[in-house]
Amino acid sequence: LLLSVSLNNNQSATPSNQKETEEIKASAPNQEVAPLEEITLDSGTGKTFNVPITALPDLKRYLEDAMDLEAELERIQVEHLDWNSLDNNYFILKYVCGHKICDLELVRIDNQNNVRTLYLTSGIFAGSEVLEEKALLRIAENEGANIARHQMFLIDLHKMDTLQPQNETDQERYFNAPLYPITEFKWLSKNAIELVVADITDTSYESLEKWYEETNPAVKKLTIAIDE
């Protein structure tokens, strides 16, 4: 995927009172863009978008504090989400990248080039499933070479906000933080998902190490209802 960053020192063209929650338009490539910096995102389908850094407030703040701006720009990664059932373009923006771990931000660009973002967490993007205007994302956190824990995110793509499972225990175990290995996930309906998770009661490193070493590690299927 194409990722490029351009620097523009004409700061006066960007309103200083721009609210972070407002939608900001992405321009067509090769058009003049007012912000200090812009990132060009390639959808892989022939469409590219110039996104002002002002439309990405978390990334903007990080770059403003960066000791080596050029090095940080080179470490930014972008993954286009192949959600063909949806009209808008979606990307996972990855920055503050260390050893595989990055800060992850969901970026939506609609047909009018309006940009909306939702910061997710720090981790490794490990797949997604969509149903209509809802997305289910899996984020991994590795411990060593062979152990991974997962955290799920339920996203209302129209509002660009998170949804919650109805059960608080499900929220704590599978959505608040990466605790359990989650091997499979899918939508059952617009109000329910299915997760296949490690069938363990102890989430310590030693317990997960033993689970991953098993030839056929025990798993269980969970049906999780979603709050509207």
Side-chain angles (χ1 to χ4, degrees), residues 85-104:
S85 61
L86 303 177
D87 292 333
N88 300 323
N89 283 274
Y90 294 88
F91 301 84
I92 292 290
L93 185 63
K94 308 174 185 181
Y95 53 97
V96 199
C97 294
H99 182 60
K100 296 185 179 180
I101 300 292
C102 299
D103 276 18
L104 304 173

Side-chain angles (χ1 to χ4, degrees), residues 90-203:
Y90 294 88
F91 301 84
I92 292 290
L93 185 63
K94 308 174 185 181
Y95 53 97
V96 199
C97 294
H99 182 60
K100 296 185 179 180
I101 300 292
C102 299
D103 276 18
L104 304 173
E105 191 158 2
L106 180 63
V107 179
R108 184 190 75 193
I109 303 177
D110 67 20
N111 291 330
Q112 286 73 47
N113 288 336
N114 295 308
V115 181
R116 291 287 301 272
T117 67
L118 177 65
Y119 178 81
L120 300 173
T121 187
S122 178
I124 302 169
F125 178 63
S128 64
E129 292 286 342
V130 294
L131 179 66
E132 298 177 0
E133 288 289 324
K134 295 179 180 179
L136 180 60
L137 282 68
R138 179 175 61 176
I139 309 300
E141 180 180 282
N142 288 352
E143 294 185 39
N146 302 316
I147 294 177
R149 306 171 187 265
H150 297 101
Q151 178 181 4
M152 304 304 298
F153 283 84
L154 287 161
I155 310 295
D156 182 326
L157 296 174
H158 178 70
K159 298 178 180 179
M160 284 294 281
D161 201 0
T162 55
L163 298 166
Q164 309 296 324
Q166 291 181 3
N167 187 286
E168 290 186 8
T169 300
D170 290 336
Q171 177 74 34
E172 293 171 358
R173 289 179 176 176
Y174 310 116
F175 294 86
N176 284 353
L179 293 177
Y180 292 81
I182 301 174
T183 60
E184 299 177 41
F185 57 96
K186 67 179 181 180
W187 288 96
L188 297 177
S189 70
K190 65 179 183 179
N191 297 315
I193 62 171
E194 179 180 276
L195 301 182
V196 179
V197 306
D199 190 4
I200 55 177
T201 56
D202 178 7
T203 58

Side-chain angles (χ1 to χ4, degrees), residues 5 7-8 11 14-18 20 35-37 39 52-73 76 95-96:
V5 178
L7 303 179
N8 183 340
Q11 300 181 50
T14 303
S16 60
N17 63 344
Q18 176 68 57
E20 294 175 358
L36 174 65
E37 299 121 354
I39 293 180
I53 292 294
T54 51
L56 309 168
D58 293 294
L59 175 60
K60 180 176 182 291
R61 280 191 293 269
Y62 176 71
L63 293 178
E64 287 174 343
D65 295 333
M67 298 295 292
D68 187 340
L69 179 60
E70 184 176 352
E72 293 302 327
L73 294 176
I76 297 174
Y95 53 97
V96 199

